[in-house]
């Protein structure tokens, strides 16, 4: 099963994608996580991605597409994957569609996690992330067992550089301008499913599993 998660920054794409990956036994592929791991390791890719991410801008399509196509060509993606944060532009969606078409393949579901902008800003300031394993917490809604430490791998949790309120506003603008049109794109493809992302996260997941079966 091949799934795309759509939604504004902070809508809960990552939270839900991890739960989907676990239940359906498919890898969780997040371009944001790949970039952050490269930033942490100070690779040339990380250095370039950081200049865009810190400003709340998108990393250029050319770079992002290459990374994503390399990742989904790996062996563990043979039986499907859940894409979190990709595609984010029409160009990226077209490249993915063409690459899959060439293999006689397609995306099965595009799930739009719908959350209004007002809720987003509140969520972001409380988020804490693990750059080692990609786990996400929230100081109120999903606190780790031990404050500041990842439950899964023991790494120190961080407030992402791009979760400052001014950067979040910019990311929301970029989302509305460049990514929201994908809702219409996948609706026309007949694979769009909307879920109400303002609900409690287990309820959001229940709605998603009803869609995925
Ligand atoms: P990326 O890492 O993809 O960030 P994003 O889309 O901005 O999304 P977030 O990770 O911030 O939010 P999320 O929807 O995953 O929410 P989460 O589950 O964490 O991208 C970062 C940057 O990388 C981009 O700005 C861009 O520069 C670059 N980039 C990445 N992909 C790219 C691409 N394809 N092309 C170009 N550039 C790219 O949840 C948020 C918080 O809310 C958490 O604290 C969580 O615990 C909490 N929460 C979740 N669900 C609920 C709920 N139901 N109720 C209450 N709280 C909840
Ligand atoms: Mg995320």
């Amino acid at each position: 099963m091949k799934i795309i998660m759509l939604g504004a920054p902070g809508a809960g794409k990552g939270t839900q994608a991890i739960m989907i990956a676990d239940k359906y036994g498919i890898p969780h592929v997040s371009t944001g996580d790949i970039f952050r791991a490269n930033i942490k390791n100070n690779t040339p890719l990380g250095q370039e991605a950081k200049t865009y991410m810190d400003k709340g801008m998108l990393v250029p399509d050319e770079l992002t597409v290459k990374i994503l196509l390399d990742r989904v060509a790996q062996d563990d993606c043979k039986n499907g994957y859940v894409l979190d944060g990709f595609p984010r532009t029409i160009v990226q969606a077209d490249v993915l569609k063409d690459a899959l078409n060439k293999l006689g393949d397609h995306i099965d579901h595009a799930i739009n996690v719908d959350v209004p902008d007002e809720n987003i800003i509140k969520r972001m300031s409380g988020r804490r992330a693990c750059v080692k394993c990609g786990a996400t917490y929230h100081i109120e809604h999903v606190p780790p067992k031990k404050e500041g430490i990842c439950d899964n791998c023991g790494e120190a949790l961080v407030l992402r550089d791009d979760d400052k309120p001014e950067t979040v506003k910019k990311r929301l603008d970029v989302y509305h301008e460049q990514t929201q049109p994908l809702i219409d794109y996948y609706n026309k493809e007949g694979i769009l499913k909307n879920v109400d992302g303002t609900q409690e996260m287990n309820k959001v997941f229940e709605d998603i599993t009803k869609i995925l079966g």
Side-chain angles (χ1 to χ4, degrees):
M1 186 155 48
K2 297 189 174 63
I3 304 162
I4 288 172
M5 303 301 291
L6 295 174
K13 300 181 296 296
T15 302
Q16 297 300 327
I18 288 170
M19 292 160 97
I20 294 169
D22 188 47
K23 181 172 165 83
Y24 295 91
I26 50 177
H28 164 220
V29 176
S30 157
T31 37
D33 285 352
I34 295 172
F35 291 139
R36 280 185 290 278
N38 276 276
I39 291 171
K40 189 169 180 245
N41 295 326
N42 202 20
T43 67
L45 167 66
Q47 286 167 7
E48 180 165 3
K50 189 171 172 25
T51 61
Y52 298 97
M53 289 170 74
D54 283 354
K55 292 188 206 122
M57 291 162 63
L58 295 183
V59 177
D61 286 334
E62 209 183 67
L63 196 61
T64 310
V65 156
K66 184 177 178 320
I67 281 151
L68 190 276
L69 293 182
D70 284 352
R71 177 65 190 90
V72 297
Q74 285 171 22
D75 237 26
D76 63 332
C77 289
K78 264 201 313 245
N79 296 323
Y81 41 78
V82 50
L83 298 186
D84 159 19
F86 186 99
R88 257 181 156 90
T89 63
I90 301 278
V91 170
Q92 293 180 14
D94 282 340
V95 171
L96 178 64
K97 188 168 141 186
D98 290 348
L100 287 171
N101 276 348
K102 279 192 193 122
L103 302 169
D105 207 348
H106 61 273
I107 294 292
D108 299 291
H109 303 280
I111 297 176
N112 178 36
V113 184
D114 191 19
V115 178
D117 288 8
E118 307 85 82
N119 304 40
I120 300 281
I121 313 238
K122 272 188 235 153
R123 277 193 192 180
M124 302 303 236
S125 54
R127 172 165 59 182
R128 296 295 178 274
C130 176
V131 281
K132 194 168 171 201
C133 75
T136 296
Y137 301 85
H138 191 282
I139 50 176
E140 281 167 39
H141 309 299
V142 200
K145 292 196 183 86
K146 193 168 167 215
E147 197 185 321
I149 303 291
C150 180
D151 292 349
N152 298 337
C153 67
E155 183 86 356
L157 299 175
V158 296
L159 176 69
R160 277 171 39 178
D161 286 342
D162 59 351
D163 277 349
K164 290 180 229 127
E166 16 1 314
T167 316
V168 171
K169 286 207 185 75
K170 172 70 184 167
R171 284 162 66 198
L172 279 169
D173 289 346
V174 168
Y175 166 75
H176 289 302
E177 196 181 306
Q178 302 194 55
T179 308
Q180 207 173 16
L182 292 177
I183 294 175
D184 201 32
Y185 180 104
Y186 287 113
N187 196 17
K188 285 190 183 130
E189 300 260 307
I191 58 166
L192 182 78
K193 315 278 160 38
N194 284 297
V195 294
D196 176 1
T198 63
Q199 307 173 96
E200 191 271 312
M201 58 186 73
N202 289 321
K203 181 67 180 68
V204 179
F205 187 57
E206 201 184 300
D207 288 357
I208 291 176
T209 52
K210 277 186 202 144
I211 293 164
L212 300 179

